[in-house]
Amino acid sequence: MTQTETPSRGSVTSEGLATRAPCGRSACVSLFNFTAKSFKKVVNMASDDINQLADSLSKTHVGDGELSFKGLGLKLDNAESVRELVTKIEQYQGLRALRLGGNTVGVEAAKAIAKALCSKDQLQRCYWSDMFTGRLRSEIPTALMSLSGALMSAGARLTELDLSDNAFGPDGVKGIEQLMKSASCHTLRELRLNNCGMGIGGGKILAEALIESHKKSTALGSPLRLKVFFAGRNRLENEGASALAKAFQLMGTLEEIHMPQNGINYAGVIALASAIRQNPDLQVLNFNDNTFTKRGTLAMAQALRLLRNVQVINFGDCLVRSEGAIALAAVLREGLPILRELNLSFGEITGGAALVVAQAAMDKPHMEKVNLNGNCLGEDGCEVLREVMDNMDKGDMLASLSEDEGEPDDEEDEDSANGDSDASDECYEADECEEIVKENGITGGGSPEKPQKQAEIQTFLRSPTAEKLSHMKMNLQEQVNAAEPNQAADIFLKIGSLYSEDTEAKLAVFEMIDEVLKKVLSASALQSYCFLTSLLVLMGVLKGERKVKKMSLVPGQLLCLEHAVQQEYFSQDHVSLLHTLLSRNSDALKSCSAARERLCSALEKKWHKFH
């Protein structure tokens, strides 16, 4: 038919419906065409909802054993609304993965879906995040129980379960509690529960369910081997985190732990650190935006010493602070051989400590990214850090420093506005700090000191004299404990205060200094770094976390340190640490300017010898 031909009876043109050939009554034909178009519009309007659902379901992804309704925005309130979806599930043979996220599922719709799942014994992966938007919180547990019951009835053996972004609270955890304990989850490898609002109660319920699942599966000869765990933004706090830590410790198979933004402070972090030690295959640790402080960071550092497979560490916004950052740098020096990414952003770390971290990170052969943004380096500190890394051709490794907080004000209370949930963190006593250190394995391996020997040390520290020092000479090395960095640093400075230019007295002091440092610096890198940072805090070179009464330095203390730097027991790493921190804040030693120059010269000389 050509462009000028008239359509035949019953034919359809590109313009619309033609009812008959022209008969000369154009007005009638026009009226009829108008009526047909109006009718068509009404029909279209009436079927909008059906068409929308059909269109959405037409986008269903099918393949590789997976059926996906993800992101279709379906509002599934009852059995009728979910009828076509259910049909597709029922007709899918060999269903192994089901994606329901990005829709909103009511109680009745969940029951209908559950009925379809009762025969799906091969189902392994349930991606059910964000599927209760707009639902009453009271509805969600019921819906979850229906779905969980179906999985258990079918005899499914899950490997992945994702219920993130469902905001179901502790009651929602109860909705999956029986599923987590059942044989359907004995095979679970990945569990994702981000942004569910579990709270402390939900964390405890989940922990107990995991523990019971592990015990039951172990009794059957095939223990639960969970590898990936996500529970960010859940308000778990210390109690919830500690409960989960028990489950992690029992399983010992985790490869990834993601628990950012949970209001966890040092007590919960210490519990998690204990659990981490028992999971040697860990590759990713994400605790972003919790509150470590020094105590939590030391515990975590000690745990990390034992792990050889960690590739990503995210302790950003965790208030690790300078002492904690240096402890982590020590771990980088002696372990973490395949680490690729380190995030210590927004941690109140000063310029010198950031340099120590960067220097340790640059020596890691697989390191790709170091994030130190949002700390307290100051403009000069940022420039020095960039320059150091650029000079080593590692500039691309360093993340942006655009949000640096600037150098801290010396007169400002460091912790007055940090938002730390535990106000006592800022003023805990030295002996309490030492106890935390010992609890987390930072020990020198020696036997506990006898009360009499400890009394001798305390008497000497209160009032150091050459006579008391001579009396302690025979057993000082035995009494100094590398697990007590604050006390060891105090002993060093008290011995140094007895320095004299008298040859015999000088040699006696140097001999005692050597005895002390040989022991504390021959321990692990973490122990020796803890000692050196404690020493620099007492000297006023490094700003510590806790409030410390700065010692009135005398030249002899710096001259003892100058002597020590030149000895073999003072390693390259120790020289690098001391050289970096003193070069950033040598003004702290201006009261002993001549001795400071001698110390800095000795450090510079040995530093260049190593480099």
Side-chain angles (χ1 to χ4, degrees), residues 460-464 485-497 534-542 546-555 557-558 588-592:
F460 174 74
L461 292 177
R462 282 194 296 270
S463 178
N486 284 347
Q487 186 184 75
D490 197 8
I491 290 174
F492 174 89
L493 290 174
K494 292 296 171 57
I495 294 173
S497 70
S534 295
L535 180 62
L536 293 172
V537 167
L538 290 174
M539 293 169 65
V541 173
L542 184 67
R546 66 186 180 91
K547 295 175 181 178
V548 176
K549 183 179 180 181
K550 295 178 183 177
M551 287 193 170
S552 298
L553 295 178
V554 295
Q557 293 162 328
L558 302 189
L589 308 179
K590 60 186 178 183
S591 62
C592 308

Side-chain angles (χ1 to χ4, degrees), residues 284-336:
V284 179
L285 282 174
N286 178 6
F287 293 114
N288 189 284
D289 199 9
N290 290 292
T291 307
F292 282 29
T293 61
K294 178 182 175 181
R295 289 188 274 188
T297 310
L298 283 175
M300 198 61 72
Q302 179 63 22
L304 288 170
R305 289 182 62 231
L306 308 175
L307 304 179
R308 310 296 294 176
N309 298 304
V310 177
Q311 299 179 36
V312 178
I313 293 175
N314 185 346
F315 295 164
D317 206 8
C318 284
L319 283 181
V320 300
R321 298 196 173 111
S322 295
E323 292 171 278
I326 293 170
L328 292 171
V331 177
L332 288 177
R333 290 290 189 191
E334 65 176 345
L336 300 173

Side-chain angles (χ1 to χ4, degrees), residues 561-598:
L561 200 50
E562 176 208 13
H563 161 79
V565 164
Q566 300 173 64
Q567 308 309 308
E568 289 187 6
Y569 58 72
F570 219 94
S571 72
Q572 178 178 349
D573 288 345
H574 301 142
V575 169
S576 179
L577 173 63
L578 208 57
H579 180 271
T580 299
L581 295 174
L582 281 176
S583 66
R584 295 293 304 157
N585 194 18
S586 62
D587 287 347
L589 308 179
K590 60 186 178 183
S591 62
C592 308
S593 56
R596 177 189 66 184
E597 293 306 316
R598 285 178 58 176

Side-chain angles (χ1 to χ4, degrees), residues 73 146 192 359 406 417 486 549:
S146 296
R192 289 174 168 83
Q359 288 166 346
N486 284 347
K549 183 179 180 181

Side-chain angles (χ1 to χ4, degrees), residues 393-409:
D393 197 27
K394 301 282 188 178
D396 292 342
M397 182 188 294
L398 183 64
S400 168
L401 298 174
S402 60
E403 297 180 76
D404 187 74
E405 297 286 342
E407 293 186 68
D409 186 348

Side-chain angles (χ1 to χ4, degrees), residues 430-481:
D431 56 349
E432 184 180 358
C433 175
E434 300 292 359
E435 186 62 30
I436 293 293
V437 171
K438 286 186 287 186
E439 281 177 6
N440 288 280
I442 308 178
T443 61
S447 57
E449 296 81 1
K450 295 179 181 179
Q452 181 180 354
K453 294 179 179 180
Q454 274 296 302
E456 288 178 1
I457 291 178
Q458 295 303 322
T459 300
F460 174 74
L461 292 177
R462 282 194 296 270
S463 178
T465 65
E467 182 181 356
K468 291 176 184 175
L469 182 63
S470 177
H471 181 67
M472 292 173 61
K473 182 177 179 180
M474 297 303 295
N475 54 17
L476 182 62
Q477 186 179 24
E478 181 183 349
Q479 293 179 40
V480 171
N481 192 339

